[in-house]
Amino acid sequence: MAAKPNPQPADSPEVRRYNRLQRWLSMADTVIGFALLVVLLVTGWTGKLRDWSYLGSRQNYFLAVFLYVLMFSVIAKVLSAPFDFVGFRLEHQYHLSNQKLRSWLWDECKGWLVNLVLGTIMVELVYGIIRVAPQRWWIVAWAVFVGLFLLMAQLAPVVLMPIFYKFKPLENETLRERLTRLGERAGTRVRGVYEWKLSEKSKKANAALTGMGSTRRIILSDTLLEHYSDDEIEAILAHELGHHVRKHIMKSILLQVGITFVGFWLVNLVLRFVIVRNWFPVLSSRLYDFANLPLIVLVVTVLGFLLMPALNAISRHHEREADRYAWENIAVIGPFVTAMQKLAEQNLAEREPSKFVEWFFHSHPSIGKRIAAAESWASQHQPVEIQPVT
Ligand SMILES: [Zn+2]
C-alpha cells in the first residue's frame, strides 16, 4: 500500500507578503544598478569619472583604473544602500534576524571592501589584457578568469566566508559518525563538517557544501543544529553529500566557464559595435578606454538576467538529484520530510510559490514539491511500516 502523503499547510498571508517584498526589493536593486550604468553612458558622466581618475593618478593607467573602480563602487553603494537598509529592516519586522544595526553596518562595510578588492582585480586584469592583446583579449581574459574561478572556489570557505561568519569543526560525535558512515557507503570522504555561527546574524537555518579539493566541506548553521533532531540533520547531511557525490560544484564551475566564454565574446562584439557606431561619443575608439566599463558591466548584467531562469533550472535539477541521493541513503524519509517542514517554517519560505516565481527566481524546488517528491519516491521504494495487529 502506498503511503498516504501528509497534507501540507498552505502558505500564510504573512509568508507570501515577506517573500513578495523580498523579490520586489531585489528587483528594485537590480533596476537601480541597471539605470546607473545607462545613465553613466548616456550622459557621458563615465567620461568625467575617467578624466578625474587620470588626474588623480597623474596619468598612471593602472592607478587610474583603480580610482575609476573606486568611484564607481562608491556611487553604486550609495544608490543601493537604501534598499540594503530596507532589507535589514524587513528581516527584523518578520522576526528573522537579531543582528544589531552596528554589526550590520560593519558587515556592509566589509562586503563593500571585499567587492572592491575582487572587482579591482578583475577590472585591472581585463584592461591589462586588452592593452597587451587588443585583438584576442577576450579569449586570454576568459582563460585567466577560469583560473580565478577555481582559485575562488577553493578559497571561499577558508578566506571569504570567515570574513562574515565564524566556523568551527562540528563537535557532535554522533553526527560525525553518521556522516562518516554515509560517506563510507558512498565510497567517498568529505574532509570536514563545520558548525556555521549563523545565529549571530539570523534566525534562519541553512546548510551547504562548499570549497574544492582540500577545502571541500559541509557547513551546518548552528540554528539548524540547535532545533533539529539527529535524524533530521542526518537527512540534510545526506543531501549535502549528494551534491558532493554528484560533483555539483565542479559542474557549476564548468557551466560558469562556458557562460564566461560566451560573455567575453559578446562583450568584445558589443564594445566594437558600439564604438564603430559611435553610440556614446564619450567613449574613445580605443578598447582600453576604461570609460567603457559601464558598457561591459551592462552586457554582463543583461546576459546574467536572461540566463537566470536557465541557471536556476539547472540548480533545481541538482537539488532534486541531491534530494534523491539523500532518500536512498537514509533509513526512512520521515526525518527528511519533517526537516523540510521545519526549514519552511523557520525561514518563512513559500511552500508553494507561483509557477512563474519558482521558474524565474528559485534555485531550489519549492518545499511543497520536495516533500511531495520524497513521499512519492518512498511509496515506491520504501516498505511501509506494518501496524502490529493486537
Ligand atoms: Zn542542496
Side-chain angles (χ1 to χ4, degrees), residues 207-209 239-240 243 248 315 318-320 322-323 364 370:
L209 177 76
H239 169 96
E240 301 305 337
H243 283 307
H248 288 158
S315 166
H318 287 170
E319 294 305 327
R320 284 194 295 271
D323 274 355
H364 287 60
R370 292 175 79 176

Side-chain angles (χ1 to χ4, degrees), residues 35-322:
L36 168 65
L37 299 170
V38 173
V39 166
L40 281 175
L41 288 166
V42 173
T43 58
W45 290 344
T46 180
K48 283 220 167 54
L49 291 184
R50 171 199 52 206
D51 298 344
W52 290 340
S53 303
Y54 272 122
L55 222 70
S57 67
R58 302 186 177 200
Q59 309 299 315
N60 178 305
Y61 183 76
F62 287 101
L63 190 55
V65 169
F66 169 70
L67 288 179
Y68 183 97
V69 174
L70 179 67
M71 285 190 279
F72 180 87
S73 113
V74 169
I75 298 169
K77 188 66 207 170
V78 167
L79 286 176
S80 74
F83 299 98
D84 299 338
F85 182 68
V86 172
F88 167 73
R89 293 284 308 143
L90 194 67
E91 295 293 288
H92 280 270
Q93 269 164 23
Y94 283 85
H95 310 289
L96 290 167
S97 171
N98 34 24
Q99 192 177 17
K100 296 269 186 296
L101 182 66
R102 183 198 287 254
S103 149
W104 177 78
L105 284 171
W106 179 226
D107 273 356
E108 287 288 298
C109 289
K110 286 192 288 187
W112 177 77
L113 266 174
V114 168
N115 281 333
L116 178 67
V117 170
L118 295 179
T120 303
I121 292 173
M122 291 199 285
V123 174
E124 293 279 9
L125 278 172
V126 165
Y127 285 103
I129 293 167
I130 289 180
R131 289 221 316 178
V132 177
Q135 287 308 314
R136 291 265 167 267
W137 74 270
W138 63 276
I139 300 183
V140 182
W142 168 73
V144 171
F145 269 54
V146 169
L148 214 58
F149 288 157
L150 293 171
L151 186 71
M152 290 317 293
Q154 194 143 23
L155 292 185
V158 284
V159 177
L160 283 186
M161 294 166 79
I163 297 177
F164 301 95
Y165 298 100
K166 291 192 195 98
F167 292 91
K168 63 171 189 196
L170 184 69
E171 277 163 6
N172 186 324
E173 203 52 52
T174 329
L175 283 176
R176 286 223 315 252
E177 268 170 32
R178 284 189 183 206
L179 178 76
T180 310
R181 269 205 303 279
L182 279 171
E184 275 168 4
R185 229 179 300 155
T188 178
R189 207 167 62 88
V190 173
R191 283 176 183 80
V193 185
Y194 285 76
E195 182 179 334
W196 168 18
K197 281 255 173 229
L198 188 58
S199 62
E200 291 171 355
K201 321 241 159 126
S202 175
K203 293 180 185 170
K204 291 180 174 174
N206 212 339
L209 177 76
T210 62
M212 244 175 64
S214 60
T215 66
R216 175 59 54 85
R217 63 196 56 193
I218 292 174
I219 55 175
L220 297 169
S221 70
D222 53 349
T223 44
L224 190 130
L225 289 166
E226 212 174 295
H227 302 294
Y228 295 61
S229 72
D230 282 359
D231 286 340
E232 287 166 344
I233 295 169
E234 185 186 28
I236 291 166
L237 278 173
H239 169 96
E240 301 305 337
L241 193 65
H243 283 307
H244 175 72
V245 172
R246 301 266 184 260
K247 301 189 169 30
H248 288 158
I249 290 186
M250 203 54 204
K251 284 178 185 169
S252 301
I253 291 177
L254 285 177
L255 187 68
Q256 202 61 45
V257 164
I259 292 171
T260 310
F261 186 81
V262 176
F264 273 126
W265 171 79
L266 197 65
V267 164
N268 183 50
L269 209 70
V270 172
L271 272 184
R272 288 180 191 279
F273 181 85
V274 169
I275 288 171
V276 169
R277 303 273 161 127
N278 202 22
W279 277 7
F280 305 113
V282 67
L283 305 183
S284 82
S285 61
R286 308 210 180 276
L287 229 49
Y288 63 76
D289 172 14
F290 52 84
N292 62 29
L293 182 63
L295 189 59
I296 297 183
V297 181
L298 199 64
V299 174
V300 173
T301 308
V302 171
L303 186 68
F305 191 74
L306 293 177
L307 286 176
M308 207 159 91
L311 292 177
N312 277 334
I314 292 166
S315 166
R316 290 195 301 270
H317 172 69
H318 287 170
E319 294 305 327
R320 284 194 295 271
E321 280 189 344

